[in-house]
Structures are given as structure tokens and as C-alpha cells.
Amino acid sequence: MKILGIDPGSIVTGYGVVEKRQERYIDIRHGEIKIKRGSLFTAALEKVYNELFSIVAEEKPDAVAIENIFYGKNIKSLIKQGHVRGVAILAGSKHHLPVFEYTPLEIKKAVVGYGRAEKIQVQKMVQVIMNFSELPSEDASDAIAVAICHINHRKNDPM
């Protein structure tokens, strides 16, 4: 099972393609799509869409897993994050992939074992699970965690 995990953000969108072989998680590819401050938001959305669309085309995951919007105080940021989620979902669905959504609580619980874990705890667990020599970036780590969460939730039902 190969999953593209996405952590959508209006400035940085993390992605991670993770495959599970036997009992090991394999890092296929991970990184961040960074938007230059001051860019037109429409250009930012287009960049996120194009890069994720290309990643899906190149890596051919079985499904896309994306972090759902969480409650926040800044409504404008949440709306922008919603738009980024939309283009990320579209990038997967244009390739006819199923798209699954997980809350931050579900993701943290699946990776750390505790739904209220701090970001650094998620990063460190992703480092251990994926056997990385260095701590992955925060956004890429979150995206990898989303992929791991999906794999763990779909052990007996891959899609």
C-alpha cells in the first residue's frame, strides 16, 4: 500500500509518500511546497495543485490522505487552508484516487499514541518509525504522519 499524505497550509504544504512493505514503512518521497510571501493566492493554489498533481503522476500512490481542518481563531487562515485542501483533494481526484481525511487528533493518536501530542513529539516519532537519521521538517513530518495514520486505519481495508 502506497499513500500520499498531505498537510495543507497556505504558506507551506507538506507531503509524504509512504509505502508499507511487510511490517516496515518505506519513505518514497517527502518534502514541502513553499509559497513565497506576498504571492498572489491564486498563484499559490496553482503551485500546490501542480506540484501535488505531478507527485501523484510520478509516484502513483493507491490513495491520498489529508489532514482535515482543525479549529482555529484566525478565520482568514482557516479559509485559506480550506482552499489549499480543495486543490490538494482535486490533485488526487483528477488521478481517480480515493481521498481520505483525518483529524489532527486521529493522526497524532495513530503515530504517537496520544491525540494531544506536541508537534515535536510527532516529528520524533516519524523519525523513529521511518528510520530517518535526521529529524524531518515539521510540515513534511506531519504529512508523513497523515500517510502512516491512513495505513494504520486501513490495514484490513486498503481503500
Side-chain angles (χ1 to χ4, degrees):
M1 183 183 328
K2 187 190 292 187
I3 305 299
L4 169 60
I6 301 171
D7 176 40
S10 59
I11 303 297
V12 180
T13 293
Y15 66 87
V17 180
V18 176
E19 188 171 1
K20 182 139 187 207
R21 295 184 200 148
Q22 294 151 354
E23 292 303 311
R24 292 183 50 226
Y25 294 94
I26 309 297
D27 174 51
I28 304 299
R29 176 180 183 176
H30 68 273
E32 300 173 329
I33 302 166
K34 294 181 180 180
I35 305 303
K36 292 180 185 173
R37 293 209 185 268
S39 295
L40 289 175
F41 190 58
T42 53
L45 291 175
E46 185 176 5
K47 180 177 181 173
V48 170
Y49 172 80
N50 288 338
E51 289 198 31
L52 289 174
F53 187 87
S54 293
I55 291 166
V56 172
E58 292 168 19
E59 302 302 340
K60 298 177 181 18
D62 300 307
V64 174
I66 189 167
E67 184 176 70
N68 210 336
I69 292 178
F70 57 91
Y71 173 78
K73 293 179 182 174
N74 188 332
I75 300 301
K76 283 185 179 182
S77 291
L78 290 176
I79 291 170
K80 283 185 174 184
Q81 184 185 24
H83 291 311
V84 174
R85 286 183 77 254
V87 298
I89 290 168
L90 182 62
S93 66
K94 279 290 198 177
H95 287 279
H96 309 290
L97 293 177
V99 178
F100 299 89
E101 301 175 65
Y102 296 95
T103 66
L105 187 80
E106 290 173 306
I107 296 163
K108 291 175 181 179
K109 191 168 185 182
V111 174
V112 180
Y114 175 60
R116 304 267 182 230
E118 299 293 324
K119 282 208 174 262
I120 189 68
Q121 291 173 295
V122 174
Q123 279 181 282
K124 287 182 178 181
M125 279 306 295
V126 165
Q127 181 183 17
V128 169
I129 291 167
M130 300 304 295
N131 198 27
F132 290 147
S133 59
E134 295 180 12
L135 202 61
S137 69
E138 192 174 284
D139 295 290
S141 175
D142 286 349
I144 293 167
V146 175
I148 292 169
C149 175
H150 178 73
I151 291 168
N152 288 345
H153 275 84
R154 301 293 173 169
K155 282 180 184 171
N156 299 320
D157 176 25
M159 302 299 136

